[in-house]
């Protein structure tokens, strides 16, 4: 199916792809000389959680494809309890679309799926953008039960997007103003919305995080064989997947540039969407074997 | 004194500034809308160690000012044994030139002087670029005696720039090719050269590194009061001042963007001069209170 004409996640219609009895919800919009860019989403996030300030500027140079993995939003089926299971769905989806090569932007959980994808199907991925994520064997991955996060998540006064404002951003006035702008942007889409994720999605994805923390043999060794150019991005105050996980990625991936943002948490790409999309577009447009742009 | 017309470190004449009985050797070239950019040099480096592939592109948007601190090159006097002492000379030099505000690019030792300068004379610095450097209290700063460095530095077959090729770059073919290109660029300047630094310079600067490793009170606490926009850059395989020092800078400076380069050591700015100067110019041109560009 072709890219839709409305190059914004505010208005792009949700489409459905049937692959072997599985139905995947997705949106596809934008155009330009670049390869399609697949977006892989964070814990419990759906198509509606992609900030138009991130998707839309990137859609001006290429098609962007937003995707709900199995069991998320209006994609049917069961949420896998492993990153490998989610990755199998993501590659089946790309195969179903007939996409033989693309760039991938993985955020948080989505970054782990992106890392697994380049190991399982190296040829389908050209360039990787990994935001607020961790390698297999990373530490302190999405421990929402730890006190620093739990007291914000369980605050009984939380309404609507309040939790995202508290856990994707820092408590500084500047970061909280960016949080407000972020949630306003998410609220712009009024129709054709995805159902929010419930406890079953959260539980299965949390199991996948726990499995991803395990490793065998030399920690991070598998990263050494991923030669895809990678751009690794994180906020220095990310409490959900701390920045040291991004350090381990950029140290162990042989071809990765790291960018960190100040006064930013897990949602650094949303807080600094203008900078992020400018740097990401420069990285994606580089015609080189090297990540350096 | 005005900027010279030859906007390249290959040909810019060395000038001398007299301040209170002290003579400072410097070069000043380039033009454009930006504030002057002061370059602060690495261990034992002189004006002749500044790669034209770094200085010249930046000189197309602003004046660049290269500077030999006291006792280095043809600057007379004694090399201070503390960063604070070197900083006093750097600010006296700026005052002598009548420069009331500038941007500063500090590499390695020079980055420490830059950090001290924003603490001692905050108003004279607008934006900071800190490459391959460390905060006070950083760890593993320039321990040339450690076996991994010593065996390269003491190799009896070393000639000319061989040591720099071995300690500023990694052993990969790509990095060594960049090392070769770097030393070819340094060799382009044929006349009006600085004398290479001898053991007295090295000894005093090494004493300054040892003093800089000491800290009192809460480690890195003083960085919290530096609100200058900062761009922190490092190669992930820097063995002279390991990248974790750059992590501590970008985590503790409240307004710093970090960029790290793959397959690069201490000389990442020379290895990836095209990317580095593009990012540095974008950072310097940003008209914002924020480091994010």
């Amino acid at each position: 199916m072709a890219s839709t004409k409305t190059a914004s996640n505010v208005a792009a219609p949700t489409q459905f792809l049937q692959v072997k009895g599985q139905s995947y919800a997705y949106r596809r919009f934008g155009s330009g000389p670049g390869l399609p860019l697949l977006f892989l989403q964070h814990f419990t996030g759906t198509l509606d959680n992609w900030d138009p300030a991130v998707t839309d500027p990137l859609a001006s140079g290429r098609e962007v494809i937003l995707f709900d993995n199995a069991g998320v939003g209006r994609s049917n089926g069961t949420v896998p309890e492993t990153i490998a299971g989610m990755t199998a769905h993501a590659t089946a989806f790309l195969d179903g679309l007939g996409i033989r090569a693309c760039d991938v932007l993985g955020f948080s959980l989505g970054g782990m799926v992106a890392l697994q994808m380049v190991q399982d199907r190296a040829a389908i991925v050209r360039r990787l953008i990994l935001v607020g994520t961790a390698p297999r064997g990373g530490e302190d991955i999405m421990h929402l039960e730890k006190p620093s996060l739990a007291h914000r998540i369980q605050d009984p006064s939380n309404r609507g997007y309040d939790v995202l404002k508290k856990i994707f951003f820092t408590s500084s006035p500047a970061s909280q103003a960016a949080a407000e702008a972020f949630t306003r942007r998410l609220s712009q889409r009024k129709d054709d919305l995805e159902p929010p994720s419930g406890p079953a999605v959260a539980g299965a994805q949390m199991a996948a995080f726990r499995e991803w923390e395990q490793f065998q043999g030399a920690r991070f060794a598998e990263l050494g064989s991923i030669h895809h150019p990678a751009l690794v991005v994180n906020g220095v105050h990310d409490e959900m997947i701390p920045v040291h996980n991004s350090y381990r990625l950029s140290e162990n991936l042989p071809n990765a540039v790291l960018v960190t943002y100040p006064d930013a948490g897990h949602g650094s790409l949303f807080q600094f969407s203008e900078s992020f999309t400018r740097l990401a577009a420069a990285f994606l447009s580089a015609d080189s074997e090297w990540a350096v742009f």
Side-chain angles (χ1 to χ4, degrees), chain A:
Chain A
M1 257 176 263
S3 170
T4 53
K5 280 180 187 164
T6 311
S8 170
N9 195 35
V10 174
T14 306
Q15 304 182 60
F16 297 90
L17 176 74
Q18 315 300 324
V19 181
K20 298 180 188 161
Q22 169 73 46
S23 177
Y24 296 111
Y26 71 103
R27 297 179 194 146
R28 184 174 183 174
F29 53 93
S31 61
L35 281 182
L37 176 62
L38 177 68
F39 280 61
L40 296 173
Q41 187 58 293
H42 65 78
F43 175 69
T44 70
T46 71
L47 302 176
D48 297 334
N49 289 90
W50 281 118
D51 183 351
V54 167
T55 58
D56 300 1
L58 290 170
S60 75
R62 63 199 55 73
E63 284 188 329
V64 302
I65 301 174
L66 318 184
F67 159 68
D68 273 341
N69 211 305
V72 176
R74 282 178 280 174
S75 290
N76 68 7
T78 308
V79 179
E81 295 192 346
T82 63
I83 300 297
M86 297 175 194
T87 305
H89 280 291
T91 52
F93 168 73
L94 288 176
D95 289 341
L97 285 181
I99 287 176
R100 302 182 63 165
C102 65
D103 295 324
V104 178
L105 188 164
F107 172 41
S108 190
L109 176 68
M112 301 169 202
V113 176
L115 283 163
Q116 189 65 51
M117 188 183 286
V118 295
Q119 295 188 265
D120 294 350
R121 289 279 297 274
I124 210 168
V125 181
R126 189 190 63 130
R127 290 187 160 238
L128 275 175
I129 301 176
L130 302 168
V131 187
T133 193
R136 176 175 284 282
E139 289 182 335
D140 193 10
I141 296 176
M142 293 293 289
H143 283 277
L144 304 186
E145 76 283 4
K146 64 184 177 183
S148 61
L149 288 173
H151 87 275
R152 291 182 242 173
I153 294 169
Q154 294 161 10
D155 182 340
S157 72
N158 286 337
R159 297 284 179 279
Y161 288 120
D162 287 352
V163 171
L164 284 190
K165 287 187 206 171
K166 290 176 182 172
I167 63 177
F168 275 14
F169 296 82
T170 76
S171 58
S172 80
S175 193
Q176 282 301 305
E180 193 63 41
F182 164 66
T183 58
R184 270 200 307 271
R185 292 191 300 265
L186 289 189
S187 303
Q188 286 177 282
R189 187 178 180 102
K190 302 293 186 194
D191 303 306
D192 183 26
L193 295 169
E194 298 293 281
S197 297
V201 173
Q205 292 182 339
M206 202 50 81
F209 288 129
R210 296 290 80 77
E211 195 277 334
W212 191 248
E213 284 183 328
Q214 310 304 314
F215 65 98
Q216 295 187 313
R219 203 174 211 166
F220 312 131
E222 74 281 7
L223 300 177
S225 60
I226 299 175
H227 291 273
H228 299 69
L231 173 61
V232 179
V233 175
N234 218 331
V236 289
H237 302 300
D238 189 339
E239 293 191 59
M240 305 184 77
I241 303 183
V243 65
H244 57 73
N245 290 292
S246 287
Y247 300 156
R248 299 298 91 77
L249 282 171
S250 49
E251 291 164 359
N252 290 283
L253 287 167
N255 193 8
V257 169
L258 169 69
V259 173
T260 73
Y261 285 115
D263 187 33
H266 198 54
S268 67
L269 75 173
F270 308 134
Q271 179 166 345
F272 294 112
S273 56
E274 200 177 307
S275 168
F276 173 75
T277 55
R278 188 185 312 121
L279 296 179
F283 168 75
L284 293 174
S285 301
D287 185 21
S288 157
E289 288 172 28
W290 281 94
V292 174
F293 62 95

